[in-house]
Amino acid sequence: MSDTASDAPSAAVPATPSGRAAPLDQTAVWEAVDGIVHWLDRESTLPPEQERLLRLLKLSEEAGEVAQAVIGATGQNPRKGHSHTWDEVHGELCDVILTAMVALRTLTPDARGVFDGHLRRVEARLASQPAGERGGPGAPAS
């Protein structure tokens, strides 16, 4: 999303005493996603069905950028060496999350409810598994 979101109008980000951005509550997050979706809709010259499909495909592009950043952070490309930092990996992961939220909101006006329901089902499934069978931090959530 970095290539389009950076062109979007931005508001001042409130800071905490430490100088870091103040965390957003869930309502503010989904309001921001709504704003991005409405902005993208206004700027689009494509038919709505094509725009929806491209927003879904954007997820693959962003996931590829995560892979590229991890390869760069670990120096696995001998030609490029350490071309990325772990902070850049974090940023790319945030782009994936935001892109997925935008795609979900594009598909349904109840994106927040759909996501909340899905998260609760995953939590319930994990809670019902005996300790030691839940998998590690990288275990799939599906």
Side-chain angles (χ1 to χ4, degrees):
M1 292 234 3
S2 55
D3 58 339
T4 56
S6 63
D7 296 333
S10 62
V13 177
T16 62
S18 68
R20 298 178 73 182
L24 297 173
D25 65 22
Q26 200 178 57
T27 298
V29 168
W30 285 106
E31 286 174 355
V33 169
D34 282 343
I36 292 168
V37 169
H38 293 306
W39 176 77
L40 289 169
D41 288 345
R42 276 194 317 272
E43 296 296 316
S44 178
T45 58
L46 301 172
E49 184 64 26
Q50 187 176 2
E51 184 67 34
R52 280 191 296 271
L53 293 174
L54 290 173
R55 288 185 196 170
L56 294 170
L57 290 175
K58 183 77 172 158
L59 278 167
S60 293
E61 178 191 2
E62 295 296 345
E65 290 177 15
V66 170
Q68 181 180 20
V70 169
I71 289 167
T74 57
Q76 293 304 302
N77 183 336
R79 186 174 54 84
K80 294 181 180 180
H82 288 271
S83 59
H84 291 74
T85 66
W86 285 105
D87 283 343
E88 289 172 308
V89 173
H90 302 165
E92 296 299 344
L93 286 168
C94 289
D95 284 347
V96 169
I97 294 166
L98 183 55
T99 301
M101 293 174 84
V102 166
L104 181 61
R105 175 55 185 83
T106 297
L107 295 177
T108 177
D110 188 30
R112 179 178 176 173
V114 170
F115 181 78
D116 288 350
H118 185 79
L119 182 57
R120 290 184 195 289
R121 285 188 299 277
V122 169
E123 286 178 318
R125 188 169 58 242
L126 291 175
S128 69
Q129 292 182 348
E133 293 183 24
R134 294 183 189 166
S142 57

